[in-house]
Amino acid sequence: MSTHKVSLEARHISLSYGPTEVLKDINLRVEPGEFFALLGPSGSGKSTLLRLIAGFNRHQKGELLVDGQDLSNTPPHARNVGMVFQNYALWPHMSVFDNVAFGLVERRETRDAIQRKVGAALELVGLQAYAQRRPNQLSGGQQQRVALARTVVIEPKLLLLDEPLSNLDKNLRVQMREELKHLQRKLGLTTLFVTHDQEEAMTTADRMAMLDKGVLQQVGSATSLFDFPVNRFVAGFVGTANLLDGEVTHANGETLGFHAQGIGPMTLPCPVDVPQVGPATLAFRPHTVSIRVRDEHVDASRLWLDGRVESSEFMGETSRYRVRVGEAVLVANQPHFAGLSLFMPGSDVRLGLECTQMRLLPR
Ligand code: ADP
């Protein structure tokens, strides 16, 4: 396997299908050897961007650099990019060996080289014993590994994965994402992984980019997107969030005034300096909200809001409450321990919001 790791860079890339602009001024840099996830809802443009990198789609504006070289005018077969498709695209009438050998045969490599390289690729994915089987004699996870072996055997500079785990059932998906990460580390191949599943992106990738409607929203590590989302779209897509629209009324370095729609004015004991008063969305995660009985003594470092439980759900590790506060409904998740009883619907409770866990987002 080649050891030279390459970077991938998109500069001001735009792509339209007819009058519809599907990718808008994409700027992105993936570092050599990095495992990078492209995350976004269906239709956001992820596959279009991936196919553009593979050379199957043509952008109208911008540059695509691999290892510093502009590939915009290089045809797909000359890009040395390996792509694994969602449906694996294996040849059903060929053995596993022949499927993996396909790209090498096309390149007219010698019989010895093919034997050696296919053997190594099958060993890499743990399928040496399955070389003579047909794809339909393999499980979904094994077919996925054949697709990976077939892609890495040609020693691509870049590995592109288009929702490679979405055809597998939940347990297998969790197992395969660990295998995928392990394989990527072993190969050290710069990898771009497309998924609509935020958990998949968070658990596998070094960094990720969030795409919505063809616009890159935010790029960073899983924790930076989760902890510091730049807008309400990212806050709601990467994890779940309570989002309160309203106005910042004052910030004096000690307290923050926020007038929330449906709740009214509140004073947060938060020493934040907000650049300006005006429209904003207050965002906070359900698991950072504490829930107490109404008359319990509560500490002053949090903002406490009185509410009434509308519904409670026991989910095992946590219990999820929907609590009406004024006209808003907030979600609070509590870790569960044996012996802890749930708040029932109708219970009067108090929700505690913690300053360090709240974000003000542009609106
Ligand atoms: P994703 O992979 O995030 O689900 P896609 O990249 O497949 O999104 O699609 C992005 C948008 O481009 C969608 O609105 C889709 O309908 C549109 N689109 C994709 N391929 C074509 C095409 N060949 N012609 C016209 N529109 C397309």
Side-chain angles (χ1 to χ4, degrees), residues 16-135:
S16 301
Y17 291 120
T20 319
E21 202 175 23
V22 174
L23 295 175
K24 299 170 191 163
D25 195 31
I26 302 287
N27 289 289
L28 185 66
R29 186 182 153 84
V30 179
E31 300 299 333
E34 197 173 23
F35 197 165
F36 195 95
L38 198 55
L39 177 67
S42 177
S44 57
K46 306 179 297 294
S47 301
T48 302
L49 181 54
L50 205 71
R51 289 200 304 265
L52 182 158
I53 296 164
F56 305 137
N57 280 343
R58 195 65 207 272
H59 49 286
Q60 287 90 11
K61 285 189 214 144
E63 292 177 303
L64 177 72
L65 308 177
V66 173
D67 208 13
Q69 308 251 327
D70 191 354
L71 287 193
S72 300
N73 295 314
T74 308
H77 63 86
R79 290 190 180 197
N80 206 1
V81 165
M83 184 150 167
V84 176
F85 297 91
Q86 191 170 351
N87 58 6
Y88 317 141
L90 300 176
W91 301 106
H93 59 288
M94 286 187 191
S95 67
V96 166
F97 186 97
D98 289 340
N99 265 282
V100 176
F102 191 79
L104 302 174
V105 174
E106 280 214 313
R107 287 183 181 184
R108 297 179 198 286
E109 299 224 1
T110 64
R111 186 186 283 236
D112 280 356
I114 292 174
Q115 281 289 345
R116 182 169 43 79
K117 289 182 182 181
V118 173
L122 288 177
E123 190 180 340
L124 192 70
V125 297
L127 286 181
Q128 308 94 303
Y130 296 82
Q132 295 316 317
R133 293 230 190 150
R134 296 275 163 88

Side-chain angles (χ1 to χ4, degrees), residues 122-271:
L122 288 177
E123 190 180 340
L124 192 70
V125 297
L127 286 181
Q128 308 94 303
Y130 296 82
Q132 295 316 317
R133 293 230 190 150
R134 296 275 163 88
N136 67 4
Q137 296 171 310
L138 301 177
S139 70
Q142 289 167 334
Q143 291 181 28
Q144 151 91 93
R145 288 194 216 142
V146 176
L148 275 165
R150 185 183 56 177
T151 306
V152 301
V153 79
I154 59 162
E155 299 180 38
K157 287 193 285 190
L158 266 183
L159 182 58
L160 306 178
L161 307 168
D162 192 1
E163 302 263 7
L165 306 180
S166 62
N167 278 347
L168 306 175
D169 66 44
K170 178 105 183 22
N171 287 341
L172 198 55
R173 220 156 52 217
V174 171
Q175 184 195 327
M176 282 306 292
R177 75 188 183 207
E178 276 170 28
E179 280 186 27
L180 201 56
K181 190 169 176 161
H182 185 68
L183 183 69
Q184 194 272 345
R185 284 280 176 271
K186 202 145 80 174
L187 296 170
L189 260 178
T190 309
T191 302
L192 194 65
F193 173 79
V194 158
T195 178
H196 64 276
D197 180 336
Q198 48 107 2
E199 191 179 297
E200 215 160 90
M202 289 169 92
T203 50
T204 52
D206 298 313
R207 285 190 309 145
M208 60 174 91
M210 177 85 231
L211 198 62
D212 184 39
K213 300 189 181 83
V215 178
L216 268 193
Q217 306 289 319
Q218 190 170 359
V219 179
S221 64
T223 46
S224 68
L225 267 71
F226 188 82
D227 291 343
F228 300 99
V230 295
N231 57 35
R232 56 182 300 152
F233 180 80
V234 178
F237 199 90
V238 181
T240 53
N242 287 296
L243 298 164
L244 285 177
D245 288 336
E247 307 261 332
V248 175
T249 50
H250 78 261
N252 60 17
E254 290 191 2
T255 61
L256 176 79
F258 188 75
H259 191 113
Q261 288 172 17
I263 295 183
M266 38 202 214
T267 303
L268 283 63
C270 301

